[in-house]
Amino acid sequence: QVQLVESGGGLVQAGNSLRLSCAASGRTLSSLNMGWFRQAPGKEREFVARINWYGSNMAYADSVKGRFTISRDNAKNTVYLQMNSLKPEDTAVYYCAADFSVVPRWNYWGQGTQVTVFS
């Protein structure tokens, strides 16, 4: 089992930045792919970004490209989501996800952290 705990959410004015963190614990975390998803009120959960174990392969949703950056520190078992130039439409609960599969199925999820962007 893998446990994921997000932190760093909050209330921020549009144009500003936030950094989310997700700490992983549990079984050996080698080869763990990690990602971020979000769910806005009344909408389905959507993919935001993902990163492989080595930090050499990242992918982003079109809506956040150029504004968000995913990174990881394997020594700390932590993945980050740096969110710049935030927009009101970025308001959502952000979830950390993880999986060991080469093509992630996202078997592990955190509890979520709220991000609210006001204009």
Side-chain angles (χ1 to χ4, degrees):
Q1 284 290 341
V2 174
Q3 293 78 44
L4 303 172
V5 179
E6 302 99 333
S7 61
L11 181 67
V12 63
Q13 190 170 24
N16 287 344
S17 301
L18 275 178
R19 189 177 80 157
L20 305 182
S21 300
C22 173
S25 62
R27 57 171 281 192
T28 177
L29 300 175
S30 178
S31 301
L32 188 65
N33 300 300
M34 300 189 75
W36 288 96
F37 291 74
R38 67 186 182 185
Q39 187 167 19
K43 295 188 176 181
E44 294 186 354
R45 188 173 300 186
E46 64 175 4
F47 166 78
V48 175
R50 62 171 170 80
I51 187 168
N52 67 344
W53 166 252
Y54 300 101
S56 59
N57 188 300
M58 288 81 78
Y60 298 91
D62 288 343
S63 58
V64 306
K65 278 181 183 177
R67 300 188 298 121
F68 291 10
T69 302
I70 190 170
S71 62
R72 66 188 298 160
D73 184 339
N74 288 343
K76 296 181 179 179
N77 295 326
T78 300
V79 65
Y80 305 97
L81 186 68
Q82 178 67 43
M83 306 185 295
N84 298 330
S85 302
L86 282 161
K87 305 175 181 179
E89 51 263 44
D90 294 318
T91 295
V93 177
Y94 283 71
Y95 296 91
C96 177
D99 198 271
F100 291 97
S101 302
V102 174
V103 179
R105 300 183 183 88
W106 309 116
N107 286 325
Y108 305 102
W109 292 87
Q111 81 288 353
T113 186
Q114 176 70 47
V115 172
T116 303
V117 184
F118 64 95
S119 57

